[in-house]
Amino acid sequence: GLLQESDVENSYFSWTRRDNRRRVGFCSRMFRVVGISAVLDSPDVPEWVLDYVVYHESLHLRQRYGCPAHHDSQFRSWEHAYPQWREAERFLSSL
């Protein structure tokens, strides 16, 4: 219920080929592509952490194309709507 269909419609989601630990996700708003690091494709990663990363990157798709894709106060308020965002950030920083 945190995302709207319009946030992710006509978008492509995929795993990366490499298991990047620093950049666990990326988004191209122009091409509406979200890539999630293969490091998260592991039974050691809680599902809610993966969901958080997908949610975070999907929020960039929500941002209007043509405007900078920053982590501004509006973005952070959307991001902090995710119930376990603090725990997810802690987990990701421990990778």
Side-chain angles (χ1 to χ4, degrees), residues 9-12 26-34 57 60-67 69:
E9 67 186 357
N10 300 318
S11 300
Y12 180 78
F26 72 88
C27 174
S28 167
R29 290 183 303 153
M30 176 185 283
F31 296 107
R32 300 205 49 90
V33 171
V34 170
E57 298 305 330
H60 287 299
L61 295 173
R62 180 183 286 177
Q63 293 175 312
R64 202 175 55 149
Y65 181 71
C67 297

Side-chain angles (χ1 to χ4, degrees), residues 11-80:
S11 300
Y12 180 78
F13 292 77
S14 181
W15 295 107
T16 62
R17 290 184 186 160
R18 298 183 188 199
D19 59 346
N20 192 333
R21 293 175 187 275
R22 280 210 240 199
R23 189 173 182 200
V24 293
F26 72 88
C27 174
S28 167
R29 290 183 303 153
M30 176 185 283
F31 296 107
R32 300 205 49 90
V33 171
V34 170
I36 305 299
S37 173
V39 74
L40 300 180
D41 187 16
S42 164
D44 298 332
V45 176
E47 189 172 336
W48 52 269
V49 172
L50 176 58
D51 289 347
Y52 169 74
V53 174
V54 170
Y55 174 67
H56 174 100
E57 298 305 330
S58 296
L59 290 175
H60 287 299
L61 295 173
R62 180 183 286 177
Q63 293 175 312
R64 202 175 55 149
Y65 181 71
C67 297
H70 293 299
H71 297 139
D72 59 13
S73 60
Q74 175 65 69
F75 184 91
R76 292 296 183 200
S77 70
W78 292 334
E79 181 183 53
H80 295 171

